[in-house]
Amino acid sequence: MAALGSLGFLFALPASAQDAAEGKQVFTQCSVCHSTDGTNNVGPSLKGIVGRKAGTFAGFHYSHAMKAANIAWSDQPLDAYIANPQKVVPGNVMPFSGLAADKQRADLIAYLKTLK
C-alpha cells in the first residue's frame, strides 16, 4: 500500500505552467502570416481568437473547410489544431505542418489568450 501512496503523490504534482511570454516568442513563427492587432494578412488576425468560432474573423477570406469547421477556439481545439492543422480541419489551406512540442503549444495558447 505504501507504493500506492507514493504514486498518488506523483499525480498530485502540478503540471508545468503555461508561459505567455514564452508563447509570444513561439508566435514569431506565426507572425509571418498572422497579426495580433486585428488586421488580416496572408492569414486572419489572431486577436480575440480564444472563444471565437473558426472561420469567422471579419474581412478574411477563409477556405471552405475552415468556414465549415464546427469549432470554437478554446484550449483543446487550439492545441490539436496547432499540433496538426490538416488533421483537425482537413482541406484547410494554412501551409503549416504543425508544432510538435507540447510545452510550446501550451505557451502559445497562453499567449493567444492575452490577445483580446
Side-chain angles (χ1 to χ4, degrees), residues 3-82:
L4 288 177
S6 63
L7 285 176
F9 172 75
L10 290 175
F11 291 114
L13 294 175
S16 59
Q18 296 175 352
D19 187 336
E22 290 293 322
K24 188 173 184 178
Q25 292 296 332
V26 175
F27 184 78
T28 60
Q29 298 173 60
C30 311
S31 67
V32 173
C33 297
H34 297 280
S35 81
T36 60
D37 65 3
T39 58
N40 292 316
N41 293 323
V42 173
S45 177
L46 298 182
K47 181 178 183 179
I49 190 167
V50 176
R52 186 169 72 218
K53 185 179 182 307
T56 63
F57 193 80
F60 188 78
H61 181 72
Y62 287 94
S63 66
H64 293 293
M66 190 59 75
K67 286 192 277 188
N70 188 24
I71 299 171
W73 295 121
S74 61
D75 288 18
Q76 192 281 328
L78 279 168
D79 183 61
Y81 186 77
I82 295 165

